[in-house]
Amino acid sequence: MKKLIFKTCKSRHASHRFRFPSGVPIEKICNIKKTESSFDHFQYTRSIFDFGDEDIKYQLPKTIVATHYTLCLKPNLDYLIFEGCVAIQCIMPNETRTVTMNVGGILLGKIVWADEATGIRQEAAEFNSNPAEQRMTIVFSPRLTAGHGVLIINFKGRIQESHMDGLYASSYHNEFEEINHNALTKFSHAEARQCFPCFDEPGLKATFAISFVVPRTVTIICNTPIKTTYPHRSDKTLHIVEFETTPKMSTYLLAFAIGQFEFIENRGENNKSTVCRIYGEHLPDEIFVNYMLETCQIFLNFFTNYFDIPFPMKKLDIIAETKHLPGAMDSWGLFTFKESGLLIPPNTKSNVDEVNLDARINTLMTLSHVLCHQWLGNLVTIKWWTHLWLYEAIGTFMEYYSIDILEPKYLMWMRFVTNVYIKALEMDALSHVHMIETPIHQPSELKENHDSLSFNKGAAIIGMLQTYIGNAKFQQGITKFLTKFAYGNATATNFWEILEEVSDKPITAIMTSWTKQAGFPLIRVIASRTENKGRVITLHQEVFIGTDLAAKSHNAHNLWMIPISISLSTNPKVIIKELLMDKRTVSFKLPKISEIDWYKINPGIRGFYRVKYPQEMFGQFLQAIRSKALPPMDRLGLLNDTYAFAEAGFNSCVDVLTILETFVDEDNFFVWKQIDSVINGLDRLLYPVDCYKKFKFFAKSIFKHIYLKVGWDVVDGESNNDVKLRELVLTRLLMLGHAECEEEGFLRFEKFMNGEFYPMESRSVLYKAGMIKCDQDTFEAIIRRFRTIESIDERNLILESLGFSMNEVILHEILDYAVSEFVRHEDTLIVMKSVVSNVIGKHIAWKFFKDRFNILAHRYALV
């Protein structure tokens, strides 16, 4: 690739007529001689500066307010560089000598202030950079007067190759097998400053008019539609592409893509819907893309109806990006999406072998999450980074809720409990967790504090809140919130206050108890006595922490306001009592319940807490599990609680083994997923102690009946959950060393590698069976297949299976291969996770991580 060395820009004389890279005078583009304001700028600045209770110590000084950016960029995709100019229309509430803004990783040229009222241009005397804080302070002499003006800055920078920050490069091979580059943006959460000087904070919203100087053969995509295109004045190979002005928005929501793209579009029924397009370097068959476009229209319609607010942008573009890590960049009107996740075929019988259900659902969830943010996050944006968790939590919750409404057969609430709720409980039980609403001083702290705990626990308590006030009130509150703060910024407190208003319940107090202290409550049933044909129950709350007694003592004062719901054995799905537990201990009476009846607290697992019952009730639940009188969700929850109590020392491990024995006739996939998780936890705990062989014998006995039931072969008409249950059972038995399973699996694997057809649903287990018994020749054969097959899903199945080898030499080779040129960077993590899941591989993986830390840290920006 061509290389170019930058030299520091030197300021030219102030009288020089300033031009954009397009050659158009700045005065024409910005109209800076305008003297009349269309609004009261002092009223505007008061609203911008009102950050409520936020600590403004780490925010930009409020000496100036940007209202509109006119940005022009001239990228060079051969040299991977760009130059540009930004003219920022500003309001100066008071006279000032300095202006502080965000800059990171770009070189600055001339800086000029053009006063709107007088037309006087004043070049900056100097500017001082603070690379650590990614800021610069511009000094003017004499002082700038209050009023309107335009801040004009010339700059240049590099298109990043190693990091996806700011403007970055995505490489691909053209028809001549030459490496070409496209350029895309990742400005979330504070990376717009890597591309152009700006006031890069979420509360400092403005409008943006963007133009590009590019070769005529290059495609440009931006947040808004193209406004006009016209030829360059002097270079006939170039033209200028101008985009429509954006709505008022935060800098991190800006997005654009530059390069060689093709697209397919969908305009909905009767061409009346939002125009949706999918762009890519090389799009696959239209059936793949059209399915995703139709799905996108379905989600847009869902959120438009749910929020009762039309989609705020004129169009929606999605870029299928090969370099993008899992997930999506949810800018406004344009977002990037990992290509392998976006381009999946429709779920029809004709292509059932092309994609697994989990991959499809993950894609739908990501699409739902991103589209939810087009309203909650983009139309209304966080006021400061401290509240990012709320928008991500609502987005995570709506992933599951929206699909559950649109596709009930996917049982999304069961998935929510296993994928989000339980993970949040496990993380939040650690002794040194942070509260989910942690004050964020600088964007660099986001990676440390806004993690999966914040988003998963946040989503869990949002789900608890929706259940507590009811979906109708919850939906009404969100619509009112979006309407009140449209094109503005809001905090979590603003959201609670509106929900409190529509529900007439103490939402602010309730949610504060969950967001501003770490951990979650354990509810103990400390008394239950019969009285007048009913039962008086006493509950006590305390903090639940895994194993650290000192931490329990330190957090003993924690108190939550807990929505409690209760059902009875006579109808376990019907809630017969609800209360708000706002004290350490509460008592209440359940009428018409006999001594032989049991009651269940938190039926359906809607509240974010664990419940510890007396031992005699534990025995009643064991019978309810055997008979399946207890619904699947509650069977799953009781098992998870029992295992957590044993880990924390509240129960004996005997209780865990006892409850596991009651599931021998279980048939629900999600319950089995939890059983498998408990078996896996015990397996890793007991390896390699003396009783490990006895444990493996016990574990295999738990799976005996379900193994005979699911068998090896896909059955016509079975559900996707039946397919996944078969994979789960066979995979666990392979890991437990089940001899019959190993022999049958390897026999089928050899037939498959020799050309016999097996459907995609069976191949995951076959690859794992092959790896468990593989020698060097078998391993190399699997790697050859990995390199030659085209199916991304099957390639992922192979990567997920590699860590199942029981040969330490091969495990070392697998990890070395994972960081080779043959494995994409994002897929390296799949292999490492697979090796870590192996009881003999976890130590090898840990050593590998330490030995290769510098490589991994550079690749994934760990430091």
Side-chain angles (χ1 to χ4, degrees):
M1 189 185 71
K2 302 173 184 177
K3 296 292 183 182
L4 188 68
I5 298 175
F6 281 128
K7 293 182 179 180
T8 304
C9 299
K10 295 182 178 179
S11 295
R12 289 166 285 185
H13 194 272
S15 63
H16 178 80
R17 196 178 190 203
F18 202 86
R19 292 177 179 270
F20 273 88
S22 62
V24 180
I26 189 72
E27 293 90 342
K28 179 178 179 181
I29 293 181
C30 295
N31 191 23
I32 64 173
K33 291 188 179 297
K34 177 182 175 183
T35 58
E36 293 184 5
S37 173
S38 59
F39 55 88
D40 180 351
H41 72 268
F42 291 105
Q43 179 179 350
Y44 181 89
T45 55
R46 279 197 298 271
S47 66
I48 286 290
F49 293 164
D50 180 17
F51 280 86
D53 296 330
E54 299 294 345
D55 181 2
I56 64 171
K57 177 181 176 182
Y58 298 93
Q59 298 172 12
L60 291 172
K62 303 305 185 287
T63 58
I64 191 171
V65 180
T67 60
H68 177 77
Y69 291 77
T70 301
L71 173 65
C72 184
L73 292 173
K74 185 179 180 181
N76 187 317
L77 298 180
D78 291 326
Y79 290 106
L80 292 183
I81 59 173
F82 64 92
E83 61 176 307
C85 179
V86 63
I88 310 172
Q89 294 183 344
C90 301
I91 300 167
M92 198 82 69
N94 303 292
E95 67 172 31
T96 184
R97 186 168 178 266
T98 61
V99 173
T100 302
M101 60 194 309
N102 296 113
V103 174
I106 55 178
L107 299 175
L108 303 179
K110 185 178 180 182
I111 303 175
V112 172
W113 171 260
D115 188 275
E116 183 180 306
T118 64
I120 296 174
R121 298 164 143 284
Q122 183 176 336
E123 186 171 353
E126 60 178 306
F127 59 88
N128 304 310
S129 297
N130 184 337
E133 296 184 3
Q134 297 187 329
R135 292 183 179 188
M136 73 165 177
T137 298
I138 309 167
V139 181
F140 291 93
S141 182
R143 301 169 72 89
L144 303 180
T145 58
H148 293 253
V150 180
L151 184 63
I152 308 161
I153 306 175
N154 199 20
F155 57 91
K156 60 173 64 175
R158 291 191 181 279
I159 300 173
Q160 297 294 324
E161 291 183 89
S162 58
H163 295 298
M164 295 172 59
D165 295 326
L167 186 60
Y168 69 93
S170 175
S171 61
Y172 66 97
H173 289 85
N174 62 18
E175 64 271 24
F176 305 108
E177 292 302 312
E178 299 170 334
I179 295 179
N180 286 2
H181 295 95
N182 293 331
L184 301 96
T185 55
K186 177 188 172 295
F187 289 167
S188 178
H189 289 101
E191 305 297 345
R193 64 191 70 178
Q194 303 283 348
C195 184
F196 65 98
C198 55
F199 300 91
D200 199 14
E201 293 180 356
L204 303 180
K205 286 192 169 186
T207 54
F208 297 82
I210 308 177
S211 59
F212 297 87
V213 183
V214 292
R216 294 174 178 271
T217 57
V218 166
T219 299
I220 306 285
I221 316 156
C222 198
N223 301 79
T224 54
I226 293 175
K227 179 181 179 181
T228 185
T229 302
Y230 52 91
H232 192 276
R233 289 185 175 185
S234 57
D235 189 338
K236 294 184 179 181
T237 66
L238 303 177
H239 67 168
I240 292 91
V241 182
E242 292 185 7
F243 288 85
E244 294 181 10
T245 300
T246 69
K248 190 176 166 187
M249 57 192 267
S250 303
T251 48
Y252 78 88
L253 298 177
L254 196 65
F256 47 84
I258 311 156
Q260 299 295 331
F261 299 103
E262 54 188 24
F263 72 86
I264 297 176
E265 71 175 28
N266 181 301
R267 294 178 176 267
E269 294 184 8
N270 302 319
N271 294 330
K272 293 182 179 180
S273 300
T274 300
V275 178
C276 294
R277 288 179 174 179
I278 291 181
Y279 288 81
E281 292 153 1
H282 303 290
L283 292 179
D285 192 289
E286 285 193 28
I287 189 173
F288 291 71
V289 185
N290 284 330
Y291 170 71
M292 288 309 303
L293 287 170
E294 292 167 6
T295 304
C296 189
Q297 292 285 6
I298 290 171
F299 278 121
L300 281 176
N301 291 334
F302 173 84
F303 286 116
T304 296
N305 293 327
Y306 190 85
F307 296 140
D308 198 21
I309 296 173
F311 180 59
M313 304 296 276
K314 291 184 178 180
K315 55 85 181 174
L316 182 69
D317 292 328
I318 307 170
I319 301 176
E321 216 282 88
T322 57
K323 189 174 181 178
H324 194 51
L325 291 172
M329 287 295 107
D330 46 354
S331 306
W332 213 3
L334 166 65
F335 57 86
T336 53
F337 206 114
K338 186 179 179 182
E339 183 183 63
S340 60
L342 181 61
L343 304 176
I344 62 173
N347 190 13
T348 63
K349 290 290 184 182
S350 62
N351 54 54
V352 69
D353 293 332
E354 299 301 323
V355 66
N356 64 64
L357 180 66
D358 284 347
R360 181 184 310 283
I361 290 177
N362 287 339
T363 293
L364 296 179
M365 288 167 57
T366 304
L367 191 59
S368 172
H369 187 112
V370 173
L371 292 178
C372 175
H373 279 324
Q374 300 297 304
W375 285 265
L376 271 163
N378 299 358
L379 178 63
V380 179
T381 312
I382 53 175
K383 187 167 283 189
W384 185 246
W385 306 114
T386 297
H387 303 284
L388 178 63
W389 75 268
L390 174 64
Y391 294 80
E392 293 297 338
I394 296 175
T396 301
F397 172 75
M398 292 303 294
E399 292 174 19
Y400 292 86
Y401 178 79
S402 61
I403 300 174
D404 195 45
I405 297 297
L406 297 170
E407 291 283 2
K409 65 182 180 182
Y410 290 158
L411 303 175
M412 292 306 293
W413 188 252
M414 294 286 286
R415 293 177 185 273
F416 181 84
V417 169
T418 56
N419 297 344
V420 176
Y421 175 93
I422 287 177
K423 287 182 180 178
L425 286 177
E426 290 171 350
M427 294 182 67
D428 210 24
L430 301 176
S431 58
H432 299 293
V433 294
H434 59 79
M435 56 189 181
I436 58 177
E437 189 165 306
T438 302
I440 301 296
H441 300 131
Q442 301 180 63
S444 59
E445 299 174 10
L446 285 171
K447 291 181 180 179
E448 178 182 348
N449 293 293
H450 280 181
D451 49 18
S452 58
L453 169 64
S454 294
F455 300 158
N456 286 342
K457 180 181 177 180
I461 65 172
I462 290 295
M464 178 175 67
L465 174 62
Q466 185 216 36
T467 301
Y468 176 60
I469 67 174
N471 182 61
K473 294 295 184 183
F474 184 76
Q475 184 176 354
Q476 180 186 349
I478 288 183
T479 299
K480 190 169 184 178
F481 175 75
L482 289 170
T483 302
K484 180 176 180 178
F485 294 100
Y487 302 103
N489 303 85
T491 66
T493 300
N494 297 141
F495 186 56
W496 308 145
E497 288 172 346
I498 285 182
L499 290 180
E500 186 165 318
E501 182 182 332
V502 300
S503 67
D504 197 29
K505 293 184 177 182
I507 304 301
T508 302
I510 292 172
M511 298 311 291
T512 298
S513 76
W514 290 92
T515 64
K516 296 194 175 181
Q517 59 182 351
F520 64 91
L522 165 66
I523 296 179
R524 290 181 181 271
V525 181
I526 59 173
S528 179
R529 69 179 190 277
T530 302
E531 182 181 289
N532 297 328
K533 297 182 180 180
R535 197 175 300 179
V536 176
I537 298 168
T538 301
L539 306 180
H540 176 84
Q541 66 161 293
E542 62 189 65
V543 65
F544 180 86
I545 295 180
T547 57
D548 193 329
L549 296 177
K552 291 179 184 179
S553 175
H554 177 72
N555 293 286
H557 64 283
N558 286 14
L559 189 69
W560 289 265
M561 297 181 70
I562 311 169
I564 301 289
S565 56
I566 301 174
S567 66
L568 297 179
S569 57
T570 51
N571 197 341
K573 295 183 179 180
V574 176
I575 294 173
I576 56 98
K577 186 172 183 61
E578 294 178 300
L579 68 145
L580 183 65
M581 185 176 183
D582 56 359
K583 299 181 178 66
R584 182 72 61 191
T585 303
V586 297
S587 295
F588 55 90
K589 184 177 180 180
L590 293 178
K592 300 178 181 180
I593 174 172
S594 70
E595 291 184 2
I596 62 172
D597 290 331
W598 49 260
Y599 55 88
K600 176 70 172 59
I601 299 172
N602 197 21
I605 312 184
R606 296 286 176 164
F608 192 71
Y609 51 86
R610 296 194 185 278
V611 182
K612 183 75 170 67
Y613 297 93
Q615 198 63 24
E616 60 271 19
M617 286 193 66
F618 181 70
Q620 288 182 299
F621 285 133
L622 294 181
Q623 180 55 39
I625 292 172
R626 287 191 187 94
S627 65
K628 297 189 179 70
L630 203 62
M633 189 77 79
D634 295 304
R635 301 200 296 270
L636 182 159
L638 277 172
L639 174 59
N640 180 259
D641 280 351
T642 303
Y643 181 69
F645 294 150
E647 278 192 314
F650 295 137
N651 279 1
S652 164
C653 280
V654 173
D655 285 343
V656 180
L657 301 179
T658 301
I659 195 172
L660 280 171
E661 288 181 312
T662 66
F663 288 102
V664 290
D665 293 321
E666 181 60 58
D667 55 7
N668 183 278
F669 164 68
F670 294 100
V671 178
W672 270 109
K673 194 173 180 180
Q674 183 58 36
I675 296 169
D676 184 66
S677 176
V678 171
I679 293 290
N680 184 65
L682 293 172
D683 184 79
R684 298 176 73 83
L685 178 68
L686 297 175
Y687 177 86
V689 298
D690 293 340
C691 65
Y692 183 62
K693 288 184 178 180
K694 292 182 179 179
F695 163 74
K696 289 178 71 175
F697 179 82
F698 170 83
K700 282 183 272 190
S701 71
I702 299 297
F703 282 83
K704 179 180 178 180
H705 290 168
I706 194 66
Y707 172 55
L708 295 175
K709 181 177 181 179
V710 299
W712 279 87
D713 297 313
V714 176
V715 178
D716 288 341
E718 66 182 357
S719 70
N720 284 293
N721 285 337
D722 292 333
V723 172
K724 298 303 294 182
L725 178 58
R726 177 180 300 107
E727 179 184 338
L728 181 149
V729 170
L730 296 178
T731 297
R732 178 54 56 189
L733 288 174
L734 286 172
M735 295 178 74
L736 290 170
H738 189 282
E740 178 187 329
C741 191
E742 284 185 352
E743 292 300 324
E744 180 67 20
F746 194 74
L747 177 63
R748 288 169 177 255
F749 166 76
E750 288 184 314
K751 292 179 179 179
F752 171 62
M753 294 295 284
N754 288 325
E756 187 169 322
F757 175 79
Y758 284 88
M760 184 71 78
E761 295 94 325
S762 300
R763 295 178 195 176
S764 172
V765 173
L766 298 186
Y767 285 125
K768 291 167 184 173
M771 285 303 304
I772 283 178
K773 299 192 70 172
C774 81
D775 54 18
Q776 189 66 33
D777 290 341
T778 304
F779 170 60
E780 291 176 359
I782 291 176
I783 293 301
R784 284 195 298 271
R785 182 172 177 83
F786 171 78
R787 293 184 186 178
T788 56
I789 57 176
E790 294 184 2
S791 169
I792 294 175
D793 292 296
E794 186 167 357
R795 286 166 64 90
N796 285 340
L797 293 182
I798 292 176
L799 294 175
E800 291 167 358
S801 72
L802 292 180
F804 278 69
S805 172
M806 303 306 288
N807 185 316
E808 293 190 11
V809 174
I810 291 179
L811 286 174
H812 282 287
E813 287 188 47
I814 288 168
L815 290 170
D816 288 336
Y817 185 76
V819 292
S820 72
E821 61 183 295
F822 301 107
V823 178
R824 297 188 305 177
H825 288 185
E826 59 265 38
D827 293 340
T828 297
L829 304 178
I830 298 176
V831 181
M832 292 181 65
K833 181 180 178 181
S834 175
V835 175
V836 168
S837 68
N838 186 332
V839 290
I840 71 169
K842 57 184 178 181
H843 301 296
I844 297 172
W846 174 234
K847 185 178 185 303
F848 173 83
F849 179 80
K850 291 186 292 183
D851 292 344
R852 302 295 184 94
F853 179 79
N854 289 338
I855 295 174
L856 297 172
H858 177 74
R859 179 183 289 187
Y860 303 111
L862 298 178
V863 292

